[in-house]
Amino acid sequence: MLSWWRTLCALALLNIGLWLTVLHLGPVGGAHAELQLALSGVYVLVCAYRSVLPRVDLERLVVVDTRLSSIFLGRAAATVAEICFALQLGLLVHQLGLHAGMPWVQTAAWAIPAFMIVAQGFCWHSVLTLNHITQAIESSLWAAGFSWMAVLLGVIALGSSGWVEALAICGILGALAFVAYVVSVDVPMYWRRYQHGRARGQAYMRLDQGARDAWQRRVPSGNWAAWKADALWLTPYFSVGVWVSIAMVCVPGV
C-alpha cells in the first residue's frame, strides 16, 4: 500500500515536471495550443493533488486523514479537472477536423465533452447519495463520449493523410481501449457494489445529508485490500490520463 502511494506521489512530481517542460520548451503556438496548455495545466495540477491525497469517494476512503482529503473538496476539484480534460478531447477532434477540412466534424466534436459534463451530475449524485448505480451511469457516459470520439476520428482518418491520419488512428485505438476498460472493469465493479449494497440494505442519503457527510467524514485506511480494486483505475488515471492531456498540447494548430 505504501509503495503504491509513493508511486502516485512520484507520478505527481513527474507530471508537473512534464507540463512545465512543455510550457517552456514545447511546440506551443496559436490559440488552440494555448487553450490546450491552460486546460492541461488545470488537469495536471488537480491530478497531482489527488495523487498525493488519494481517496475513494463513495467509501470515503483516504490515505492521509486531513481536511484537504475531504471527499467533497476532492470531488469538486476532480469535476473541474475532468471538464477541462473533456474540453481538451473535444478541442483535439475539432483541431483534427479543421486540418482535414471537415466543418461538420468540428461541430460534432463538441458532443464529446457534452457527454462527460453530463456525467459529472451523475457522479455527484452517487457521491452524495452513496448509490453506486449512478456511478455506473457516469462511467457509461464517459464510454459513450469516447465512442463518439472514435467515430469522428474514424471519419477524419478516412478523409486525411500524413500526421493527421496517423494521429486519428492512434486516437481511435486509445478511445476504444478506454471504452473496453470501462465496459469490462469499471461498470461491472460499480454494478457489483450496487447489488452488494442492496443486499445488505444500504440506506441512501439525501443530497443535503450526503454533502455534509462528504465534507466531514473520512475513513483512513492503509489496507491494500480496501484500495486494490480502485487502484486499477486510479493508477492509469493519474499517469496515462495526464500524459494524454499533456500530449494534446503538442498537436499543431492552424
Side-chain angles (χ1 to χ4, degrees):
M1 174 64 202
L2 185 59
S3 61
W4 175 68
W5 180 47
R6 286 174 175 169
T7 299
L8 292 186
C9 292
L11 282 170
L13 292 174
L14 171 64
N15 293 337
I16 291 173
L18 288 174
W19 186 86
L20 290 173
T21 299
V22 171
L23 172 65
H24 292 291
L25 303 176
V28 177
H32 280 117
E34 290 177 1
L35 183 54
Q36 286 280 20
L37 182 67
L39 293 170
S40 178
V42 174
Y43 189 72
V44 170
L45 186 61
V46 172
C47 284
Y49 159 59
R50 296 177 66 207
S51 295
V52 174
L53 299 174
R55 55 184 67 74
V56 179
D57 290 345
L58 271 68
E59 287 69 26
R60 306 303 195 237
L61 280 178
V62 299
V63 172
V64 183
D65 189 10
T66 171
R67 289 183 180 180
L68 289 176
S69 291
S70 161
I71 302 301
F72 191 98
L73 185 61
R75 186 64 250 161
T79 299
V80 174
E82 288 175 359
I83 289 174
C84 286
F85 184 74
L87 290 172
Q88 279 194 274
L89 295 174
L91 184 59
L92 171 67
V93 176
H94 182 276
Q95 287 175 269
L96 294 179
L98 184 59
H99 281 290
M102 298 178 178
W104 76 268
V105 171
Q106 292 176 252
T107 302
W110 299 116
I112 298 168
F115 278 107
M116 299 159 186
I117 291 171
V118 172
Q120 298 302 318
F122 287 96
C123 181
W124 271 104
H125 181 273
S126 66
V127 170
L128 299 182
T129 64
L130 304 183
N131 192 339
H132 282 94
I133 195 65
T134 42
Q135 202 165 29
I137 295 172
E138 177 217 357
S139 293
S140 299
L141 284 168
W142 275 89
F146 271 93
S147 297
W148 181 237
M149 179 179 174
V151 170
L152 295 179
L153 289 174
V155 173
I156 292 171
L158 290 172
S160 61
S161 59
W163 70 267
V164 174
E165 179 187 19
L167 187 55
I169 292 172
C170 289
I172 293 169
L173 296 175
L176 293 179
F178 177 83
V179 172
Y181 171 81
V182 169
V183 171
S184 63
V185 178
D186 262 15
V187 172
M189 177 179 69
Y190 295 136
W191 176 250
R192 286 193 301 271
R193 289 178 179 178
Y194 168 71
Q195 289 183 310
H196 179 69
R198 295 280 291 181
R200 61 186 175 87
Q202 170 76 53
Y204 301 123
M205 294 185 177
R206 297 196 315 267
L207 296 179
D208 60 322
Q209 291 175 323
R212 288 192 296 272
D213 185 74
W215 185 263
Q216 298 172 354
R217 184 165 66 93
R218 298 181 296 276
V219 181
S221 176
N223 184 356
W224 176 241
W227 288 90
K228 185 177 180 180
D230 290 279
L232 288 175
W233 69 265
L234 286 170
T235 306
Y237 185 114
F238 296 140
S239 55
V240 177
V242 177
W243 301 335
V244 169
S245 173
I246 295 172
M248 285 190 281
V249 177
C250 301
V251 175
V254 176

